[in-house]
Amino acid sequence: MKITSIETSIVSIPFDMHAPPQLFAGKPWSHIDTLLVKVETDAGITGWGEAFGHVVNQGTKATLDTLVAPLFIGRDPRDITGLMQEMQQTLHLLGRNGSVIYALSGIDIALWDIVGKLANQPIYQLLGGSNRRSLTAYQCLLRYTDPVLVAKNCAAGYAEGYRYFKLHEITREAFLAAKGAVGPDAHIMFDTNCPWTVEEAIRMAQSLKDDGLHWLEEPVWPPEDHAGLARVRAQGIPIAAGENAAGLFDFKSMMDAGAIDIAQPSVTKIGGITEFRRILSLADAYGVRVAPHSPYFGPGFIATLHLAAAMPSNPPVECLWMDAEARLFGDYVLPKNGQLPVPQGPGLGCDPDPAVLERYLIDGPTVTR
Ligand SMILES: [Mg+2]
């Protein structure tokens, strides 16, 4: 069995974030952009993947089209771990994080989709299986910088059935506003996106210490300051991080430093399902929990559901809370009552809707043969 072509395309779907539009990496954020990777084989089986992401999609797409995709043509799509090891080594001089690894992540997810379809099994069964039919979703709110809006949208999420909430805010006032808007059975996480020095983060952790925070995410700049993060963790608040980590050994360094309670690998950034699995084993050995980073709407989100389904710890799954004008997978994996279905079809279990692909396409398809 051989890979015959790899196609990349970017779709851009408008969304309503229930707040005034915000900037993301300096650009106005009004559309969810998804970089899709379609891998075709001589057996007639097609796999879909997603490579990170958002405003760096064009960069990742160029890396795929000009560098990474051609290396996979003619190779056996069933040799996933062998191919990923080989390509990581072949390409390592070009960056151990960023577009090269994002590109590999997208192809890796598509290869898992292919082997699942070939075996006529959902990916989570290939990963070890599970009897669960649903997963706990957490309501991931965008950054509003307005505690009144935080409270309003948390209350809306609570009414929809969510019991896990994640804020992208940086003030205790916002945290208390969320806490006041939901019931006592709610768990609130605080994602700060690396705003503070270690000393500032320690002061913040001390001020939040008795507020019942479920976790504090990425409080320290830069994210690779694992020793600094460990000093914040010593204040007694659960610390989560890892969406910006570079592979298995970056996570090992984080855990060796005693920096985290919760590891957050991101399947479209870290090297796909293959690298994510290695981090699961590592976390087990260190007694660290894993909660996937997954603010996606494409195959990366569905791949995350398969990974979460196969994890005995049943982690809460990140679900960006916004209304998109259209969805690549229709209502296939929509959260309901704070729960997400475990996808049951072969491979990812669902292919993107061709009509949505066509209507919202902004770049591509670019085909490598
Ligand atoms: Mg985060």
Side-chain angles (χ1 to χ4, degrees):
M1 190 171 175
K2 285 188 170 57
I3 295 170
T4 51
S5 73
I6 297 180
E7 183 181 302
T8 57
S9 46
I10 300 174
V11 293
S12 184
I13 300 176
F15 67 83
D16 173 5
M17 67 182 278
H18 308 288
Q22 302 287 310
L23 295 180
F24 182 16
K27 293 187 174 183
W29 202 23
S30 58
H31 289 62
I32 281 287
D33 290 2
T34 301
L35 171 52
L36 291 157
V37 182
K38 181 183 176 187
V39 176
E40 298 207 86
T41 64
D42 60 0
I45 296 175
T46 299
W48 290 89
E50 177 181 356
F52 193 77
H54 302 295
V55 290
V56 80
N57 274 334
Q58 265 83 7
T60 307
K61 183 177 180 303
T63 301
L64 269 160
D65 297 340
T66 62
L67 174 69
V68 178
L71 297 173
F72 284 85
I73 302 300
R75 305 303 298 270
D76 186 340
R78 298 166 297 187
D79 181 24
I80 305 179
T81 47
L83 281 172
M84 286 301 143
Q85 162 99 7
E86 176 189 330
M87 298 308 174
Q88 283 211 22
Q89 278 190 294
T90 300
L91 299 167
H92 79 274
L93 292 166
L94 306 170
R96 297 291 295 142
N97 202 345
S99 69
V100 169
I101 301 295
Y102 305 163
L104 289 175
S105 305
I107 292 177
D108 180 88
I109 294 167
L111 298 187
W112 278 93
D113 189 26
I114 288 168
V115 296
K117 285 168 173 166
L118 195 61
N120 199 29
Q121 291 288 324
I123 290 170
Y124 82 89
Q125 290 290 8
L126 305 184
L127 297 174
S130 169
N131 282 329
R132 288 197 301 273
R133 286 295 175 266
S134 68
L135 303 162
T136 300
Y138 70 78
Q139 184 198 22
C140 175
L141 299 105
L142 296 176
R143 182 168 294 182
Y144 308 132
T145 67
D146 173 3
V148 174
L149 207 46
V150 170
K152 178 171 175 265
N153 287 346
C154 283
Y158 192 83
E160 285 175 22
Y162 287 101
R163 292 299 177 265
Y164 287 78
F165 304 83
K166 189 167 90 177
L167 316 181
H168 280 89
E169 305 291 332
I170 51 171
T171 66
R172 180 168 180 256
E173 188 188 3
F175 175 77
L176 295 178
K179 196 173 175 185
V182 295
D185 54 347
H187 307 270
I188 303 174
M189 295 86 89
F190 209 47
D191 187 356
T192 60
N193 295 114
C194 308
W196 298 312
T197 65
V198 174
E199 299 307 326
E200 288 166 342
I202 286 173
R203 280 199 293 279
M204 194 66 188
Q206 286 169 341
S207 80
L208 290 163
K209 193 174 172 184
D210 299 320
D211 291 336
L213 192 63
H214 194 64
W215 76 55
L216 178 61
E217 180 171 332
E218 289 200 309
V220 169
W221 174 258
E224 53 271 29
D225 181 3
H226 302 155
L229 191 58
R231 288 174 56 209
V232 180
R233 181 173 174 242
Q235 306 308 309
I237 279 192
I239 297 290
E243 69 182 76
N244 291 304
L248 179 74
F249 279 81
D250 213 2
F251 274 100
K252 181 176 184 296
S253 155
M254 233 180 276
M255 294 176 199
D256 281 336
I260 54 171
D261 298 274
I262 298 112
Q264 299 177 295
S266 192
V267 73
T268 67
K269 297 178 82 176
I270 198 68
I273 291 171
T274 303
E275 192 76 7
F276 196 117
R277 289 176 86 199
R278 302 171 80 204
I279 291 154
L280 287 175
S281 299
L282 177 78
D284 265 352
Y286 277 81
V288 166
R289 284 180 282 154
V290 174
H293 172 260
S294 56
Y296 311 128
F297 292 87
F301 183 69
I302 301 184
T304 302
L305 299 184
H306 286 281
L307 281 157
M311 288 165 58
S313 59
N314 197 9
V317 176
E318 179 166 28
C319 250
L320 260 192
W321 192 70
M322 56 173 61
D323 288 333
E325 189 177 288
R327 288 178 175 263
L328 282 165
F329 298 95
D331 58 3
Y332 181 60
V333 285
L334 271 183
K336 286 193 188 78
N337 295 319
Q339 298 287 306
L340 288 155
V342 175
Q344 295 299 329
L348 290 170
C350 190
D351 288 347
D353 180 341
V356 175
L357 277 180
E358 190 184 349
R359 170 150 187 222
Y360 294 97
L361 185 73
I362 58 162
D363 193 350
T366 307
V367 186
T368 301
R369 288 195 172 87

